[in-house]
Amino acid sequence: FDFDAKVSLAGNFSGWQPIPMARSNSHVFSVVVGLPPGVWMYRFREELGGAASWKTDPQKPAAVDPASGQICNTLIIQTAPQ
């Protein structure tokens, strides 16, 4: 992401509403979201100079979101073994 950008995280866990991410001095964007077990789809929204674009992380698993038809990253959270 561009260092001057506003970056948000959105996914099926937030109703696809962007959650603002904090930027550190070392150019790392982060946010903490507590999620229960399940299959979660997410994307990043980058806003820069009045324009916004959706992005995925190329280093993480991706799939097509059946609800939107968009390519999104996927995160699977399993329950802890008993």
Side-chain angles (χ1 to χ4, degrees):
F1 300 111
D2 188 289
F3 188 72
D4 294 324
K6 292 181 182 178
V7 178
S8 301
L9 171 70
N12 57 352
F13 49 83
S14 69
W16 293 102
Q17 295 301 308
I19 301 168
M21 298 179 74
R23 179 184 65 222
S24 71
N25 290 336
S26 60
H27 194 68
V28 174
F29 292 89
S30 64
V31 65
V32 176
V33 179
L35 298 174
V39 177
W40 303 103
M41 306 205 72
Y42 65 95
R43 292 171 75 185
F44 299 98
R45 180 178 165 94
E46 180 181 42
E47 296 178 47
L48 182 64
S53 61
W54 290 95
K55 298 184 176 194
T56 57
D57 183 341
Q59 298 179 4
K60 301 294 180 191
V64 175
D65 176 26
S68 68
Q70 300 292 319
I71 295 176
C72 303
N73 289 116
T74 57
L75 174 66
I76 299 172
I77 300 176
Q78 298 179 345
T79 57
Q82 301 296 325

